Amino acid sequence: QVQLVESGGGLVQAGGSLRLSCAASGIINDINYMAWYRQAPGNQRELVATITNGGITNYAESVKGRFTISRDNAKNTVYLQMNSLTSEDTAVYYCSIQVKIPSILGTYNYWGQGTQVTVSS
């Protein structure tokens, strides 16, 4: 059974930094990418950053230059370093792993439970 457990959220002042971690347990094959999403109150969940098996990264425009996604394949862990935080970054952050389902030529996303990030101005 696959489980994703996030940690590292909390309360930080504007301009500060936080580092989120997401540890995956269980057997996970055919990974397309690992990712971080976030959801602020009243908003839809949005993609923050992705990283492929080959280390190719992609970021939402709103976090480019401030956030860095990385992964440790040996530990099955993905990280999100968040710098220069603003109140706009306040949200619940979720990690996700997308895998391929070859039998149906489709994909599936595993999700963590989320970790709250609150930035005070």
Side-chain angles (χ1 to χ4, degrees), residues 5-18:
V5 179
E6 299 106 333
S7 60
L11 175 64
V12 64
Q13 287 190 333
S17 299
L18 281 175

Side-chain angles (χ1 to χ4, degrees), residues 19-94:
R19 188 191 193 211
L20 305 182
S21 300
C22 173
S25 61
I27 299 174
I28 309 174
N29 297 317
D30 294 326
I31 294 176
N32 268 340
Y33 59 78
M34 304 176 82
W36 287 96
Y37 290 74
R38 67 185 181 186
Q39 187 168 19
N43 290 357
Q44 289 188 333
R45 190 172 296 188
E46 63 173 350
L47 181 63
V48 175
T50 62
I51 184 166
T52 67
N53 283 345
I56 297 172
T57 59
N58 195 26
Y59 298 91
E61 285 296 324
S62 60
V63 306
K64 275 183 181 177
R66 300 187 299 122
F67 290 11
T68 302
I69 189 170
S70 60
R71 61 191 286 175
D72 184 333
N73 290 333
K75 296 181 179 179
N76 253 359
T77 300
V78 61
Y79 305 95
L80 187 68
Q81 178 67 43
M82 305 185 295
N83 300 327
S84 302
L85 286 162
T86 75
S87 58
E88 298 292 311
D89 298 313
T90 295
V92 178
Y93 284 71
Y94 299 88

Side-chain angles (χ1 to χ4, degrees), residues 106-119:
T107 60
Y108 180 80
N109 278 69
Y110 294 101
W111 294 93
Q113 81 288 353
T115 185
Q116 177 70 47
V117 171
T118 302
V119 184

